[in-house]
Amino acid sequence: MSRTRQPPLVTGISPNEGIPWTKVTIRGENLGTGPADLIGLTICGHNCLLTAEWMSASKIVCRVGQAKNDKGDIIVTTKSGGKGTSTVSFKLLRPEKIGILDQSAVWVDEMNYYDMRTDRNKGIPPLSLRPANPLGIEIEKGKFPQKDLEMLFPGMSADFTSENFSAAWYLIENHSNTSFEQLKMAVTHLKRQANKKSEGSLACVKGGLSTFFEAQDALSAIHQKLEADGTEKVEGSMTQKLENVLNRASNTADTLFQEVLGRKDKADSTRNALNVLQRFKFLFNLPLSIERNIQKGDYDVVINDYEKAKSLFGKTEVQVFKKYYAEVETRIEALRELLLDKLLETPSTLHDQKRYIRYLSDLHAPGDPAWQCIGAQHRWILQLMHSCQEGCVRDLKGPPGLHSATLDLDGDVRASVPGHLGQTASLKRGSSFQPGRDDAWRYQTPHRVAFVEKLTKLVLSQLPNFWKLWISYVNGSLFSETAEKSGHIERSKNVRQRQNDFKKMIQEVMHCLVKLLRGALLPLSVTEGGGRQCRSWEVKAELSGQGLAHAIQTLRLTYESLTALEIPNDLLQTIQDLVSDLRVRCVVVTLQHTAEEVKRLAEKEDWVVDSEGLTSLPCHFERCVVHSLQSLREVLECKPGEASVFQQPKTQEEVCQLSINIMQVFICCLEQLSTKPDADVDTAHLSVDVSSPDLFGSIHEDFSLTSVSMASLKELDQRLFENYIELKADPIVGSLEPGIYAGYFDWKDCLPPTGVRNYLKEALVNIIAVHAEVFTISKDLVPRVLSRVVEAVSEELSRLMQCVSSFSKNGALQARLEICTLRDTVAAHLTPESRSSFKQALEALPQLSSGADRKLLELLLSRVRSGVHLQLACFQAAPPPAVKTQVPSR
């Protein structure tokens, strides 16, 4: 395989000399691309790969092992570059043996050695007592993974000084490539070493035999001397002297070695202290580490370190450990207080709240931090709601125009309200009216409606997290797995106890919300307990129906959002009750406002009559009613969980009375217009079709007017009709008598008749004028008007005939001609009363005595008809079917 990189080159080593196990830093070029690329490292011929730590392509750190050569090269081998070279060398120094009296500038580690396999110190006998190579043959390290060997020999060790020494492991690790012949030589070497050990004590005795004899002679001489002295306890005896000598020798030795031994004891204690500090530095550094991690916000690290320290030193009896562990507990308690303060701090996100609760749970904080957080959030929401209300009240008392925004109430949801009113001819003239967006439905948001939007938005921004926090508290997801397992039973008990408390919290929030909204929207419905909220608004005028409808829509959306959180319906019932009250109030206010608008319709009447005979007044009235119905459409629609607005009999009665009131106001408006002075009205265009069959029937059907409204309409209709008949019939009736006797006419002395006289022609022309005027307005109204006019004329004519004392023959013929002409002309509009009057008039005349007179009468009648047949054609139309009363207005 071709090499893609240059061979490794070692250009420096630091230090360049040292004893075995010295840590050195090797520098050079192409020292490998990574730890896996480094496959060989030798220093002075010794394999140092096991202790090598690859840092970069120009740096390697390792420890020098036991080597045969005192000086040698540093050779690095990599997969990518192969075997390298070295421009420097390392000198291996032999460790000097330091006696107990020799001074040394460094600590002498008498009991520890560095094990390059495990990279840690082990306490074993001094190096001088540890054989470097027990087999006496060259060691060739194999490349078997350490983990595989540990799995192959569980619980064993390749260390030949260990109690669990495994010879197979040792051979695989150090002599996997050794030949069988070399292994035989190793066996021979082991046997020779064993023989030397068994013969060592005997050879020692043989070499010092004379010394043993001298010691035996000395002991014998001492024994003889003691026997000669008599007893060993006599003062001044040899043993006493010997004891004194030994004591002085011991004191002298102690004096001689006291300083050296003191230094050694001090060094041992210092070394032990350093070992303790090194071994338990985790505990000693933990207080400072906790403070640093708290400042950085690494609470997870602090909790892990605390759990570790608690498991290791929580029950220690060592005073120094107790002292430092107490410091740790002090800082952990401060952390608990800090986390609790952060948990109860508002505003705060749900994520941060859950995080702090888990931290406090892991730190085993006393009490129930999660429930404390829920209580703090509850108080915060109530405080926000009251602050919102107080802020809006302050803005309301400030400069006008604050926080006002133009709202379009109808939007795209306003649809036309079909009905019989929209099918009448009155809408043709007012066809420009569209029930969609226009300026009439745009208005500046009332301050209290803006407050409703702001308050509900605030609640919807806070309550969902508050509810989710409770759900997490119930299901235990707020706590870590460890805390969950340890405190599951206790938390389950707490949840059962807290459930009613939390329900009261939600109810308090809902009651506060409804109370604040009711104080703004329905101040008169607030009880004495909520009177302060009502008085703070200083309400001078009630909200319009549009404002209430907008508030209802906002509350409905709020209710839907809260229902989506799966909050029980019984906790939201207060909102439903408020919506129900607002819907009723909106209907009442809207109908009252409609009545007020109807009152002002008289000012909008322009008296311009359209092709159907209607002025603008009916169209204005219909617009007003349609606007009212459209604005109430969404309000009257029942959303899920809502009852009908008309469910309560009291509401039905009030709405019915308001509807009747609207009609009565409209009737008053008509009456007001009908009673204007003639100087203010153009009588040629006075007409309001109040009682036409189509319009009145529609009103009756749609609005279910009671007999009161019907009676009022009929009374107005009759009054207007009588006024109109009086206005039109009186001039015609009044002109008859002067016309009859014009030119000193005398029924007793007159010329033979040649036709009807001018007075009758004038009366017929006036009747035709009335017919034309009424027909222009409404042809259906003609029979009713003309029949009354004919009645008045016929009655007056009958009276005049009956007042004549006597007729001449010519006078009787003239009177009969005029009476028959008038009767036959208006025959289509005769009533029983008018027929009776004409009959009485004819009976007052003398009867025709001859056939010549009758023929003359017929001839004259024929001439009259042929002379004015065009004028009289209007009276020949057949009358329409029976109709309801109609009346032309002034």
Side-chain angles (χ1 to χ4, degrees):
M1 181 178 64
S2 61
R3 303 290 181 182
T4 58
R5 297 177 60 88
Q6 295 294 328
L9 175 62
V10 177
T11 59
I13 185 170
S14 176
N16 59 3
E17 63 180 10
I19 62 174
W21 316 119
T22 299
K23 188 175 184 179
V24 297
T25 301
I26 302 170
R27 300 186 182 275
E29 302 174 359
N30 304 320
L31 301 183
T33 60
D37 192 40
L38 182 63
I39 60 175
L41 174 60
T42 59
I43 301 178
C44 298
H46 184 269
N47 188 358
C48 302
L49 181 61
L50 291 178
T51 62
E53 182 179 359
W54 185 90
M55 307 300 291
S56 66
S58 60
K59 180 179 178 181
I60 297 175
V61 177
C62 71
R63 289 186 180 272
V64 180
Q66 294 283 359
K68 297 180 179 180
N69 302 323
D70 294 339
K71 190 174 184 180
D73 295 334
I74 301 93
I75 305 300
V76 177
T77 305
T78 63
K79 292 181 180 179
S80 59
K83 187 174 182 181
T85 57
S86 175
T87 59
V88 295
S89 60
F90 182 82
K91 183 177 181 181
L92 186 65
L93 303 178
R94 299 299 179 183
E96 297 181 0
K97 295 183 179 180
I98 302 176
I100 60 174
L101 300 181
D102 296 335
Q103 294 184 354
S104 174
V106 297
W107 291 108
V108 179
D109 194 356
E110 299 177 350
M111 299 300 294
N112 294 333
Y113 79 99
Y114 187 84
D115 189 345
M116 65 181 179
R117 291 184 297 102
T118 60
D119 196 25
R120 63 184 182 181
N121 294 329
K122 287 187 176 182
I124 64 169
L127 290 174
S128 59
L129 299 180
R130 178 178 180 267
N133 187 359
L135 297 182
I137 59 178
E138 184 178 359
I139 296 177
E140 298 179 1
K141 292 288 186 179
K143 297 181 180 180
F144 291 94
Q146 187 73 16
K147 292 183 179 180
D148 294 347
L149 292 174
E150 291 177 356
M151 294 176 61
L152 188 61
F153 302 99
M156 306 302 289
S157 173
D159 185 2
F160 51 78
T161 63
S162 174
E163 296 180 356
N164 300 325
F165 172 68
S166 173
W169 187 346
Y170 179 80
L171 291 175
I172 292 174
E173 186 177 46
N174 298 282
H175 300 284
S176 59
N177 298 326
T178 305
S179 63
F180 186 70
E181 295 298 330
Q182 289 179 325
L183 291 177
K184 285 184 176 181
M185 295 173 57
V187 172
T188 304
H189 177 74
L190 283 176
K191 291 180 178 179
R192 186 164 53 251
Q193 292 296 330
N195 291 335
K196 286 183 179 180
K197 179 178 281 189
S198 61
E199 294 177 356
S201 58
L202 182 59
C204 181
V205 174
K206 289 182 179 180
L209 188 59
S210 58
T211 303
F212 282 102
F213 288 156
E214 292 177 358
Q216 177 64 28
D217 292 342
L219 290 175
S220 298
I222 291 172
H223 181 67
Q224 292 176 1
K225 184 64 174 174
L226 288 174
E227 289 181 348
D229 290 341
T231 177
E232 57 184 5
K233 295 183 179 180
V234 178
E235 184 179 358
S237 65
M238 179 180 178
T239 54
Q240 183 65 38
K241 294 179 180 179
L242 181 59
E243 180 181 1
N244 295 336
V245 172
L246 293 176
N247 288 334
R248 287 196 299 272
S250 175
N251 294 334
T252 302
D254 291 341
T255 303
L256 180 63
F257 292 101
Q258 185 175 6
E259 182 179 359
V260 175
L261 295 176
R263 288 202 303 270
K264 183 179 184 303
D265 293 340
K266 185 176 181 180
D268 290 341
S269 62
T270 304
R271 186 185 297 108
N272 292 334
L274 292 175
N275 288 336
V276 170
L277 289 175
Q278 181 66 24
R279 181 177 178 183
F280 301 102
K281 65 179 179 180
F282 165 73
L283 177 61
F284 300 139
N285 295 334
L286 188 55
L288 181 60
S289 175
I290 289 176
E291 291 183 356
R292 290 176 178 174
N293 288 326
I294 290 176
Q295 293 177 357
K296 293 188 295 183
D298 294 337
Y299 302 124
D300 291 313
V301 177
V302 174
I303 293 173
N304 292 335
D305 291 345
Y306 172 66
E307 289 294 337
K308 181 178 178 181
K310 185 176 181 180
S311 62
L312 294 176
F313 306 102
K315 298 181 180 180
T316 184
E317 297 296 332
V318 181
Q319 292 300 322
V320 66
F321 292 165
K322 282 186 175 181
K323 180 179 178 180
Y324 275 88
Y325 185 74
E327 290 290 331
V328 171
E329 286 289 356
T330 301
R331 284 160 175 78
I332 291 298
E333 183 61 31
L335 176 60
R336 292 191 186 105
E337 296 177 358
L338 174 64
L339 292 176
L340 185 59
D341 292 340
K342 288 182 174 293
L343 176 63
L344 302 181
E345 181 181 340
T346 52
S348 180
T349 63
L350 179 62
H351 173 74
D352 289 340
Q353 291 171 351
K354 289 184 176 181
R355 189 161 57 94
Y356 293 140
I357 290 173
R358 290 192 182 99
Y359 289 154
L360 290 170
S361 175
D362 291 338
L363 291 175
H364 308 288
D368 193 347
W371 180 251
Q372 290 178 294
C373 178
I374 292 175
Q377 284 298 113
H378 170 248
R379 293 187 294 272
W380 169 249
I381 293 174
L382 294 178
Q383 180 183 350
L384 285 179
M385 294 168 66
H386 287 290
S387 299
C388 177
Q389 189 252 3
E390 294 170 359
C392 289
V393 171
R394 284 196 302 269
D395 293 343
L396 181 61
K397 295 179 180 178
L402 291 179
H403 300 277
S404 64
T406 301
L407 294 182
D408 190 354
L409 286 186
D410 37 290
D412 295 329
V413 299
R414 294 192 180 277
S416 61
V417 182
H420 295 286
L421 289 176
Q423 300 172 1
T424 60
S426 63
L427 277 184
K428 295 181 180 179
R429 184 175 184 278
S431 59
S432 61
F433 165 69
Q434 297 293 335
R437 299 171 180 263
D438 60 8
D439 293 338
W441 290 99
R442 299 179 67 85
Y443 73 107
Q444 294 295 321
T445 307
H447 207 87
R448 287 178 284 165
V449 176
F451 163 70
V452 172
E453 292 182 346
K454 186 175 182 180
L455 183 62
T456 54
K457 183 178 180 181
L458 184 149
V459 172
L460 290 180
S461 66
Q462 297 293 330
L463 197 60
N465 287 340
F466 182 58
W467 180 261
K468 292 176 182 177
L469 184 64
W470 164 253
I471 297 300
S472 300
Y473 178 79
V474 171
N475 58 31
S477 60
L478 285 177
F479 311 99
S480 63
E481 294 182 0
T482 304
E484 175 68 19
K485 293 178 181 178
S486 61
H488 176 73
I489 298 177
E490 182 179 356
R491 267 192 304 279
S492 299
K493 183 179 179 181
N494 289 340
V495 167
R496 290 192 295 270
Q497 295 175 349
R498 305 293 192 189
Q499 199 157 11
N500 291 332
D501 296 337
F502 183 78
K503 184 177 181 180
K504 292 180 181 178
M505 289 182 180
I506 294 292
Q507 289 176 340
E508 185 176 359
V509 171
M510 292 297 103
H511 284 303
C512 180
L513 172 64
V514 170
K515 183 171 64 175
L516 295 177
L517 294 178
R518 193 178 289 274
L521 300 175
L522 301 174
L524 299 180
S525 68
V526 178
T527 59
E528 295 182 359
R532 184 176 63 85
Q533 284 77 10
C534 174
R535 291 192 299 271
S536 62
W537 283 103
E538 297 182 358
V539 179
K540 297 180 181 179
E542 192 171 13
L543 284 174
S544 65
Q546 293 172 326
L548 290 173
H550 189 70
I552 290 170
Q553 183 182 9
T554 302
L555 284 176
R556 281 174 168 174
L557 294 176
T558 303
Y559 180 81
E560 292 176 1
S561 300
L562 296 178
T563 304
L565 295 175
E566 299 182 356
I567 298 178
N569 292 332
D570 59 332
L571 299 180
L572 304 178
Q573 186 58 40
T574 54
I575 298 180
Q576 285 283 47
D577 295 340
L578 176 59
V579 171
S580 178
D581 294 344
L582 287 175
R583 292 170 65 202
V584 172
R585 192 58 194 165
C586 182
V587 172
V588 172
V589 170
T590 302
L591 294 179
Q592 291 174 347
H593 178 71
T594 303
E596 293 295 327
E597 288 186 349
V598 171
K599 284 182 180 180
R600 296 188 291 268
L601 290 182
E603 303 172 1
K604 301 180 181 180
E605 178 60 86
D606 54 7
W607 299 107
V608 177
V609 182
D610 62 6
S611 60
E612 298 293 333
L614 298 177
T615 66
S616 61
L617 185 64
C619 183
H620 287 316
F621 175 70
E622 185 173 353
R623 283 187 185 180
C624 189
V625 173
V626 170
H627 274 109
S628 176
L629 295 177
Q630 287 175 338
S631 64
L632 292 177
R633 180 182 179 185
E634 291 292 332
V635 175
L636 294 177
E637 182 181 355
C638 292
K639 300 295 182 181
E642 295 180 353
S644 173
V645 173
F646 307 108
Q647 185 177 13
Q648 298 296 329
K650 182 180 179 181
T651 305
Q652 295 180 13
E653 181 180 354
E654 185 176 8
V655 171
C656 183
Q657 184 60 42
L658 289 172
S659 301
I660 295 173
N661 186 44
I662 292 174
M663 293 303 304
Q664 291 177 339
V665 168
F666 182 62
I667 293 171
C668 293
C669 180
L670 294 176
E671 186 173 4
Q672 177 187 358
L673 291 173
S674 66
T675 56
K676 283 186 177 180
D678 292 344
D680 299 338
V681 182
D682 182 4
T683 57
H685 303 289
L686 295 183
S687 175
V688 177
D689 193 0
V690 180
S691 308
S692 66
D694 292 339
L695 178 60
F696 190 77
S698 300
I699 293 177
H700 186 274
E701 178 182 352
D702 289 348
F703 293 94
S704 301
L705 296 179
T706 63
S707 57
V708 177
S709 298
M710 292 295 296
S712 299
L713 275 176
K714 290 180 179 179
E715 180 183 354
L716 176 61
D717 171 74
Q718 188 63 30
R719 187 164 59 251
L720 294 178
F721 180 76
E722 295 296 338
N723 291 338
Y724 185 77
I725 294 300
E726 181 181 353
L727 178 67
K728 296 300 180 180
D730 285 356
I732 300 174
V733 171
S735 66
L736 290 178
E737 185 174 0
I740 290 174
Y741 296 105
Y744 302 102
F745 178 81
D746 188 2
W747 295 108
K748 299 177 182 179
D749 184 14
C750 62
L751 297 175
T754 57
V756 295
R757 290 182 293 168
N758 290 334
Y759 84 91
L760 185 60
K761 294 178 180 179
E762 183 182 354
L764 288 174
V765 169
N766 289 334
I767 294 174
I768 291 173
V770 174
H771 179 281
E773 180 180 298
V774 176
F775 188 86
T776 302
I777 303 301
S778 175
K779 63 180 181 180
D780 296 332
L781 195 59
V782 170
R784 183 184 180 193
V785 174
L786 287 188
S787 61
R788 285 296 303 274
V789 173
V790 171
E791 285 180 3
V793 173
S794 63
E795 183 180 353
E796 177 64 15
L797 189 60
S798 174
R799 184 187 69 80
L800 291 174
M801 292 299 103
Q802 291 176 4
C803 291
V804 177
S805 59
S806 63
F807 292 89
S808 66
K809 178 181 178 182
N810 292 334
L813 186 60
Q814 181 71 41
R816 188 174 296 277
L817 172 63
E818 292 173 351
I819 292 173
C820 290
T821 298
L822 179 60
R823 182 194 64 186
D824 295 342
T825 301
V826 296
H829 301 288
L830 291 177
T831 63
E833 290 79 6
S834 59
R835 286 190 178 92
S836 176
S837 296
F838 279 117
K839 182 178 179 182
Q840 291 176 3
L842 291 174
E843 290 177 350
L845 300 176
Q847 299 295 322
L848 296 177
S849 58
S850 64
D853 292 338
R854 287 192 289 270
K855 289 181 179 180
L856 179 60
L857 179 61
E858 292 294 334
L859 177 63
L860 292 175
L861 287 174
S862 177
R863 288 177 182 177
V864 172
R865 294 191 191 100
S866 62
V868 291
H869 69 280
L870 291 178
Q871 291 84 350
L872 302 180
C874 63
F875 296 117
Q876 305 305 319
V883 295
K884 295 183 181 179
T885 57
Q886 292 181 323
V887 58
S889 175
R890 292 185 62 89

